[in-house]
Amino acid sequence: MNIVMAIFGAVSQGLTWAILALGVYLTFRILNFADMSCEGSFALGGSISAVLMVNFQWNPFLTLIVSTLAGAAAGAVTGFLHTRLKIPAILSGILTMIGLYSVNLRVMGQANTSLIGQNTLIMMIKGLLPEAKELGIKDSTLQTWVTMGVGLVFIFAVIMILYWFFGTEIGCCIRATGNNEAMVRAQGVNTDKMKILGLLFSNGLIGLSGALVTQSQGYADVSMGVGAIVIGLASIVIGEVLLLRVKNFAGKLIAIVVGSIIYRIIIAVVLQFGLATDDLKLFTAIVVALALSVPVLKSKKGMIRKEAR
Amino acid sequence: MLKMTNIYKTFNPNTVNEKLVLRGLNVELKDGDFVTVIGGNGAGKSTMLNMIAGVHFPDQGSITLDGEDITGLPEHKRAKYLGRVFQDPMMGTAANMEIEENLALAYRRGQKRGLNWGITKEEKELYVEKLKMLDLGLETRLTAKVGLLSGGQRQALTLLMATLQQPKLLLLDEHTAALDPKTASKVLELSEQIIASYSLTALMVTHNMKNAIQYGNRLIMMYEGKIIYDVSGEEKKNLHVSDLLEKFEKASGGEFANDRMILS
């Protein structure tokens, strides 16, 4: 029973973190831009959502909008540093990320903000449902189900919007920019604008994801974004490896969500088997490094085979 | 229609790699001119084309197109006037996108792009029709990824994309240099056919002297960032490769034309 509950928890966690993975996918795969600023914008979304609720008694749904916009603004800063000031992509992201660490401390005025006793988004929806006792389940179980439902609704909306947007003229230009900048400029498109737009979209989603995670886990922490890019990448590569055959764009996005859930299940399982929480980040890093090196390892193997012939 | 006046360009100024590429270049094209450009490596042919396209900007001098000064206009803003095919077949198309998506991007060159669908149904019919003209069987593979095509197919597609919206000026930068001889001549024929059917003005850089004589109505030879020979009409038609080699040797003070020019 214990492991089943842990897996349910993992699925609901995977769903709230999946939006982060979708955001990372936009930059890493579509725009071909390793954007480190996501670590900062994830915590920024969380901090803002928590502070608006605790200090200003905002409705949790409204805080999500502000978190999304703040994340988008952070992405725009990275885009500005990279395109206008010609700072290399990876460094632009790192600068934004480091800057946001201080910003997040300023926003919260402390290193973390607890939502204990607050009517969080999950609590609000749970309040609309019958009591857990009446349903004959534990209170924590009901909370997990609600989190899953919320995650699913948001993911559905995000995938619909992304599917539509990347089918439009501007969306096509962003995809092409990640593919071949010279060609896109030759077709009369300002590639700088497309990059900024892509970063803005991506970090907006990541800010939203940070806010959702904060609402479901009940606190925001200034270091909650540490390793976010790696977690996003882990979800992407797991999704890609599992659903290799999927060629359609919506299918690819769904694969990432599945990847995010499976990543959380893997984590839950290895924790059950006694891996120390402190070692989780190292574990994740190794998983991602291995998954990303699959194409190289495969081609090397192929070369050896060819030589053997 | 195109006028480049007294263009100077130095790459990597004030470094050990400093290279003065264009030294007072003057070019004027008339409407409907199909000009072939030849010259040794480093003569400034590609730099000239990139300067027209806005990839590089001149240190000195001015460029006007149909009376409009485009000297400082960014690349993406002058793209609406220009069709371009590059030397590298990978450069003109987006490999991870479908053939029709690539065409749709090119179809909107010079137009405002918004939140309408990236491709419409009517367009696809147009693309099928245009792809049939290439005679490469691409019309049945609209949704195939461009990365699956051969170099020649990609170059032909790029050529089609460059002319889908009729450009004021078509820039062909050694666009057959990376292809095998058979494919190269096919792409060249296609280029000539498209240029003739839309009566386009075109600049074609080539390393192949025979092609330079065979195609177009005018020939320009460049050496050390300047034009040293400019011939058109009957005189051009009667040229031989040996005449060009002689001109080249005279200009370079007896220095031999590089191997690539002699061999091709």
Side-chain angles (χ1 to χ4, degrees), chain B residues 36-48:
Chain B
T36 54
V37 184
I38 54 170
N41 289 332
K45 309 178 299 291
S46 288
T47 308
M48 175 174 79

Side-chain angles (χ1 to χ4, degrees), chain A residues 163-173 175-176 179-180 182-191 247 252, chain B residues 75-76 79 84 86 90-97 101-102 105-106 108-109 112-118 161:
Chain A
Y163 186 76
W164 163 75
F165 181 70
F166 284 98
T168 65
E169 290 169 344
I170 292 181
C172 284
C173 292
R175 283 192 290 145
N179 214 215
N180 184 346
M183 171 262 193
V184 179
R185 273 197 299 272
Q187 301 306 339
V189 179
N190 185 344
T191 46
K247 294 277 181 272
K252 281 185 178 168
Chain B
E75 190 181 355
H76 66 270
R84 289 161 68 193
F86 311 93
M90 305 300 140
M91 239 177 110
T93 44
N96 293 346
M97 294 174 79
E101 287 176 324
N102 273 275
L105 276 171
R108 286 164 178 73
R109 184 160 49 79
K112 213 165 161 48
R113 294 164 210 251
L115 294 176
N116 296 319
W117 280 114
M161 286 167 63

Side-chain angles (χ1 to χ4, degrees), chain B residues 47-96:
Chain B
T47 308
M48 175 174 79
L49 252 62
N50 282 332
M51 207 147 273
I52 298 169
V55 179
H56 305 306
F57 295 94
D59 300 333
Q60 226 187 86
S62 74
I63 308 170
T64 59
L65 187 66
D66 268 351
E68 184 190 349
D69 185 352
I70 59 163
T71 315
L73 204 64
E75 190 181 355
H76 66 270
K77 283 197 179 153
R78 58 175 96 173
K80 63 181 170 213
Y81 306 127
L82 304 169
R84 289 161 68 193
V85 185
F86 311 93
Q87 178 174 1
D88 181 355
M90 305 300 140
M91 239 177 110
T93 44
N96 293 346

